[in-house]
Amino acid sequence: MGGAAALGHTVMRTAAFDAAARTLGPAGAWQVATDYSGEAGARATRSMLTAAPRDRPTAIVYDNDIMAVAGPAVAGPAVAGPAVAAEMGLGVPGDVSLLAWDDSQLCRLTHPTLSAMSHDVHGFGAEVARTLFGVITGSGPASHPVPTPMLTPRGSTAPPRS
């Protein structure tokens, strides 16, 4: 579940997801675009999980923590309530695995805790500022590699049931 296609990082993540899906060959991998809000995350999660069992995803990867937390934890737009998966009679991770991006504190406040792609958001922001300053002053490279995010498994992911 990704954000607005007009955003550069969404375009890159979408391309990476599509390339991985082609390489790894998971059956039925698809993407849903939203606006990054919790309400949109909950709505899209509910829509995916109400599909017929053979069409329902076994895992959802969220493009931000807000959508991931709202996905399992919001019953309706801006209304706290039972988890969407539980509302659909599904267990996390038994029936559907959930994976967030950013690994903010929100991922550790849910039950089960959310698995996430972890990266140093503050460090990344500082590196962006240093790079921008280097470009402005002419003292640094215009671009360079950044550390690769790492998977932090928690309670929301497991192998799919047979």
Side-chain angles (χ1 to χ4, degrees), residues 95-149:
D95 295 308
V96 62
S97 289
L98 305 176
L99 178 71
W101 183 266
D102 291 334
D103 198 18
S104 70
Q105 286 295 106
L106 291 174
C107 293
R108 292 179 261 321
L109 297 175
T110 63
H111 181 73
T113 55
L114 283 167
S115 297
M117 294 303 297
S118 301
H119 59 120
D120 181 2
V121 175
H122 299 288
F124 183 73
E127 187 61 29
V128 167
R130 281 191 290 275
T131 302
L132 179 59
F133 185 71
V135 169
I136 291 169
T137 64
S139 64
S143 65
H144 57 279
V146 296
T148 302

Side-chain angles (χ1 to χ4, degrees), residues 42 45-51 56 75 83-91 95:
T45 299
R46 189 173 294 105
S47 176
M48 285 189 265
L49 295 181
T50 56
R56 190 172 45 231
V84 172
E87 174 186 311
M88 302 297 142
L90 302 172
D95 295 308

Side-chain angles (χ1 to χ4, degrees), residues 50-75:
T50 56
R54 66 175 171 48
D55 297 328
R56 190 172 45 231
T58 58
I60 302 173
V61 179
Y62 295 89
D63 209 3
N64 77 8
D65 291 355
I66 299 296
M67 289 188 301
V69 169
V74 177

